[in-house]
């Protein structure tokens, strides 16, 4: 069943090699280096590990990377002042605020305060709004949805005319990925926690994107034979046999689903690496915009 597994690590490594060549050419052409900055407030271990992956991916391609670590106690107005400085610094092409932020800070206000041409995470309202419009230009497509589509395209999965079911309606994944699939002429259904007979609807999917945040919720008998399953979920569950005491699993029951689906992503090393490489790609686009170089 190895040939049924969508390996996001493999695909992201291929894209990384291409981006490395392009970046070297652009550095030579402009005399400048693309720069990505990530702001972290406090020191949540999971956030720190996500940022490390972004740093490694950026530096592997030849970018400069700045990890701006701010104290948990920073006020919203202080954080906005820090962000203003980064917005005005022309050497910084992409700015990402690592979420979640502490509860005393309004995340939406912070994200909306990033200079639009530096919002390489693609999470601002105007960008999601542009995705919803025919002919809308979002600048940058949010990274996880973009990564999901890259995996479908790499495996030459037909999208036009197919029934895509999105399980989950978050601003980060569910809504933008449904809009991207709609742009590609899929017939799109969005399911969520209030959906009645959810398994019956998911059973109709040619393509399932699971992003609901519930470990192994989607069972093998929820899947149509031959469907393609992209599992965005990343859930930590106890596992006493592991050294760490836990393991990461997706929103689909992988062992069951792989028996029925034609293709399925693994967790980890499925969508995760694609999210990171999409961020790097968006930052390279930001660098091109800043230097008046046409996008590919």
């Amino acid at each position: 069943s190895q040939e049924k597994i969508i390996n996001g690590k493999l695909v992201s490594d291929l894209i990384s090699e291409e981006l490395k060549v392009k970046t070297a050419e652009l550095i030579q052409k402009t005399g400048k280096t693309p720069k990505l900055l990530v702001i972290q407030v406090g020191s949540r271990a999971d956030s720190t590990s996500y940022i490390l992956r972004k740093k490694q991916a950026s530096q592997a391609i030849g970018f400069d990377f700045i990890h701006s670590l701010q104290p948990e106690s920073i006020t919203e107005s202080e954080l906005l002042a820090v962000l203003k400085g980064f917005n005005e610094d022309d050497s910084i092409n992409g700015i990402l605020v690592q979420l979640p932020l502490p509860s005393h800070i309004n995340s939406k206000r912070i994200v909306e305060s990033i200079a639009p041409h530096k919002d390489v995470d693609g999470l601002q309202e105007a960008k999601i709004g542009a995705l919803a419009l025919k002919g809308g230009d979002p600048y940058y497509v949010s990274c996880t949805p973009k990564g999901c589509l890259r995996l479908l395209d790499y495996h030459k999965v037909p999208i036009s005319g197919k029934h895509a079911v999105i399980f989950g309606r978050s601003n980060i994944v569910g809504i933008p990925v449904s809009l991207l699939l709609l742009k590609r002429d899929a017939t799109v259904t969005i399911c969520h926690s209030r959906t009645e007979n959810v398994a019956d609807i998911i059973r109709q999917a040619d393509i399932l994107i699971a992003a609901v945040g519930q470990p192994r919720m989607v069972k093998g008998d929820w899947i149509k034979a031959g469907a393609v399953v992209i599992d965005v979920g990343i859930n930590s569950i106890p596992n006493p046999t592991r050294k760490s005491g836990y393991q990461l699993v997706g929103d689909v029951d992988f062992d069951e689903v792989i028996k029925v689906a034609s293709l399925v992503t693994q967790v980890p090393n499925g969508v995760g690496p694609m999210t990171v490489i999409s961020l790097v790609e968006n930052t390279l686009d930001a660098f091109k915009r800043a230097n008046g170089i046409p996008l590919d």
Side-chain angles (χ1 to χ4, degrees), residues 26-27 29-35 90-93 117 283-295:
L26 286 168
I27 291 172
K29 188 170 173 177
T30 62
K32 298 175 192 168
T33 302
K35 187 182 286 184
D90 288 340
S91 76
I92 298 168
N93 304 111
H117 58 287
T283 304
L284 194 60
D285 282 350
F287 178 79
K288 290 178 188 168
R289 282 175 196 273
N291 289 284
I293 294 162
L295 304 184

Side-chain angles (χ1 to χ4, degrees), residues 202-220:
I202 288 176
R203 226 171 263 124
Q204 300 168 35
D206 301 305
I207 298 167
L208 171 66
I209 314 273
V212 78
Q214 298 295 327
R216 294 179 175 151
M217 183 175 179
V218 177
K219 300 297 175 192

Side-chain angles (χ1 to χ4, degrees), residues 58-128:
S58 302
Q59 291 180 336
I61 283 158
F63 289 10
D64 288 337
F65 185 92
I66 302 173
H67 179 183
S68 168
L69 185 57
Q70 304 296 329
E72 182 94 26
S73 58
I74 194 171
T75 65
E76 191 174 298
S77 58
E78 286 168 339
L79 185 56
L80 286 167
V82 167
L83 183 54
K84 186 170 187 285
F86 295 146
N87 279 339
E88 290 168 0
D89 180 343
D90 288 340
S91 76
I92 298 168
N93 304 111
I95 298 174
L96 180 146
V97 176
Q98 188 67 42
L99 302 176
L101 290 171
S103 55
H104 66 276
I105 295 174
N106 178 333
S107 301
K108 183 180 165 194
R109 188 173 296 147
I110 300 298
V111 169
E112 291 297 325
S113 300
I114 298 169
H117 58 287
K118 296 187 181 190
D119 166 38
V120 285
D121 224 5
L123 295 181
Q124 289 178 339
E125 281 184 353
K127 294 188 175 65
I128 308 285

Side-chain angles (χ1 to χ4, degrees), residues 146-162:
K146 183 177 183 172
C148 290
L149 266 86
R150 291 297 287 269
L151 288 177
L152 293 174
D153 288 338
Y154 177 80
H155 285 277
K156 299 187 167 57
V157 174
I159 297 174
S160 178
K162 299 297 181 185

Side-chain angles (χ1 to χ4, degrees), residues 163 202-206 220-228 260-262:
H163 189 180
I202 288 176
R203 226 171 263 124
Q204 300 168 35
D206 301 305
D221 63 0
W222 293 28
I223 302 297
K224 177 163 88 172
V228 175
V260 192
S262 64

